[in-house]
């Protein structure tokens, strides 16, 4: 099947990035949010990213204007009716996602492919909530979508070959490295990465080393571009906890359990870079490690 119009549900951290890269790849995009304030914030992020690309000489102004011209913001599900592919990127909450699909599914045209950007939830649980489970795939992008090269393409037990092929073709047109993944909680990357970040938090809790030393050691000793605690802040501590809870519920293994420090920081509203504080303080020019004192 040929995809020309893409619907994106959610204009937040992931959704605005998916909308931007899709528009940059020539797709007409409908970006939907629950209210105008959140929609404007998401569109503003896209405008800022494009302006930065122009400023750094990576894009001409005319091209940036054309990308923005291909993105239509809306708060109305009906504007997604003629989309060929719809990708959801809303809050990582199964109940909210199921409610959304039940409302949207009857609106979107027959033959369209539906996709979830979930980072940890079972894809089949969402597919089964629609009247077209055979036309449902997982498309797990990574943050920031504009920079990260990987796209995990997830096939469920009901996904047909045409829909799966459409998911791969979409990712390849976006310039992503598309990797097939089975519909198992956490897929490939989070199955391996989340326990690593949680272990780093446990190492800090147990006094193995301070925050900066843990991060510096993993950068220099393992060749990682970013230490695990700074990476946790970058992912979002609330997001990390949510993924950990989902994976622990599925596998019941300690390595997937959210450590007490993570749970307390999330309760305090310390989500990392997006809230201004996590394992590091982001109020200055450079992140500064701070002891959570928990």
């Amino acid at each position: 099947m040929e995809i020309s119009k893409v619907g994106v549900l959610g204009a937040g951290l992931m959704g605005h990035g998916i909308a931007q890269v899709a528009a940059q790849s020539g797709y007409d995009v409908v970006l939907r949010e629950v209210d105008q304030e959140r929609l404007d914030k998401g569109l503003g992020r896209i405008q800022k990213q494009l302006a930065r690309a122009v400023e750094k000489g990576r894009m001409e102004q005319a091209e940036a204007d054309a990308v923005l011209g291909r993105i239509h913001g809306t708060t109305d599900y009906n504007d997604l009716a003629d989309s060929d592919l719809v990708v959801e990127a809303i809050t990582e909450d199964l109940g909210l996602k199921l409610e959304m699909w039940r409302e949207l599914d009857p609106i979107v045209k027959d033959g369209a492919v539906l996709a979830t950007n979930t980072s940890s939830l079972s894809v089949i649980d969402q597919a089964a909530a629609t009247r077209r489970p055979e036309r449902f795939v997982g498309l797990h992008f990574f943050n920031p979508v504009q920079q990260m090269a990987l796209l995990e393409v997830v096939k469920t037990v009901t996904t047909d070959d045409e829909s799966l092929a459409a998911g791969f073709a979409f990712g390849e047109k976006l310039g992503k490295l598309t990797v097939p993944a089975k519909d198992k909680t956490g897929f490939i990357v989070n199955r391996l990465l989340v326990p690593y970040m949680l272990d780093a938090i446990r190492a800090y809790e147990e006094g193995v080393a301070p925050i900066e030393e843990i991060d510096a050691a993993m950068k220099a000793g393992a060749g990682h571009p970013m230490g695990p605690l700074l990476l946790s802040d970058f992912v979002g501590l609330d997001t990390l906890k949510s993924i950990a809870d989902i994976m622990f519920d599925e596998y019941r293994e300690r390595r997937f359990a959210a450590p007490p420090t993570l749970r307390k920081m999330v309760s305090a509203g310390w989500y990392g870079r997006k809230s201004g504080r996590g394992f590091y303080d982001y109020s200055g020019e450079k992140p500064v490690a701070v002891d959570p004192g928990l």
Side-chain angles (χ1 to χ4, degrees):
M1 66 172 291
E2 183 177 349
I3 297 172
S4 60
K5 188 171 186 178
V6 177
V8 179
L9 296 159
L13 193 63
M14 298 300 295
H16 89 275
I18 296 170
Q20 181 181 331
V21 296
Q24 287 178 193
S25 298
Y27 292 107
D28 290 325
V29 178
V30 178
L31 179 60
R32 191 264 176 185
E33 255 296 358
V34 294
D35 57 50
Q36 194 63 45
E37 181 180 355
R38 296 185 193 186
L39 178 61
D40 290 342
K41 185 175 181 180
L43 292 171
R45 284 173 170 168
I46 295 173
Q47 291 170 345
K48 185 177 180 179
Q49 290 279 347
L50 294 173
R52 186 176 302 161
V54 171
E55 181 182 341
K56 292 183 177 294
R58 297 195 301 264
M59 182 182 292
E60 296 293 331
Q61 185 62 54
E63 183 183 355
D65 292 341
V67 171
L68 285 173
R70 286 193 287 271
I71 301 174
H72 170 64
T74 185
T75 58
D76 188 351
Y77 278 135
N78 289 299
D79 288 336
L80 286 85
D82 60 345
S83 298
D84 302 302
L85 169 69
V86 177
V87 185
E88 75 81 17
I90 69 171
T91 302
E92 191 74 339
D93 181 297
L94 182 59
L96 292 177
K97 291 181 190 291
L98 296 182
E99 181 182 347
M100 178 211 69
W101 285 125
R102 291 186 183 113
E103 186 170 355
L104 179 71
D105 183 37
I107 296 172
V108 179
K109 69 181 181 181
D110 293 337
V113 175
L114 306 181
T116 174
N117 179 58
T118 182
S119 58
S120 54
L121 294 167
S122 174
V123 177
I124 188 59
D125 289 342
Q126 295 182 59
T130 73
R131 58 187 173 87
R132 60 183 105 189
E134 74 284 354
R135 307 291 290 173
F136 204 104
V137 299
L139 294 177
H140 180 212
F141 291 87
F142 291 80
N143 178 44
V145 181
Q146 297 92 331
Q147 299 175 28
M148 298 297 283
L150 183 65
L151 174 63
E152 292 180 324
V153 181
V154 185
K155 180 183 186 297
T156 76
V157 293
T158 58
T159 307
D160 63 26
D161 291 341
E162 184 183 33
S163 300
L164 186 65
F168 277 105
F170 175 64
E172 288 161 7
K173 187 171 180 180
L174 266 53
K176 302 298 183 184
L177 171 64
T178 54
V179 175
K182 292 186 177 180
D183 188 17
K184 297 191 179 290
T185 302
F187 313 130
I188 300 170
V189 173
N190 280 340
R191 176 78 176 254
L192 302 175
L193 183 62
V194 168
Y196 160 66
M197 291 189 285
L198 299 179
D199 267 344
I201 297 172
R202 277 188 278 268
Y204 168 72
E205 282 181 339
E206 294 163 9
V208 172
I211 293 168
E212 309 100 306
E213 292 184 10
I214 291 173
D215 279 351
M218 290 308 298
K219 287 175 65 180
H224 292 186
M226 184 183 297
L229 298 175
L230 183 61
L231 177 60
S232 298
D233 275 1
F234 190 87
V235 168
L237 299 183
D238 54 335
T239 301
L240 177 59
K241 179 184 177 298
S242 176
I243 296 171
D245 289 344
I246 291 166
M247 295 179 74
F248 181 77
D249 185 59
E250 177 71 16
Y251 299 117
R252 295 291 169 178
E253 296 179 21
R254 181 180 182 268
R255 64 195 180 109
F256 297 116
T261 294
L262 176 60
R263 290 190 281 103
K264 291 175 182 178
M265 291 174 75
V266 171
S267 293
W270 300 343
Y271 300 151
R273 191 178 70 163
K274 62 186 173 185
S275 70
R277 178 170 180 176
F279 288 102
Y280 290 79
D281 182 278
Y282 297 87
S283 59
E285 290 186 10
K286 294 183 178 180
V288 177
V290 289
D291 183 350
L294 300 172

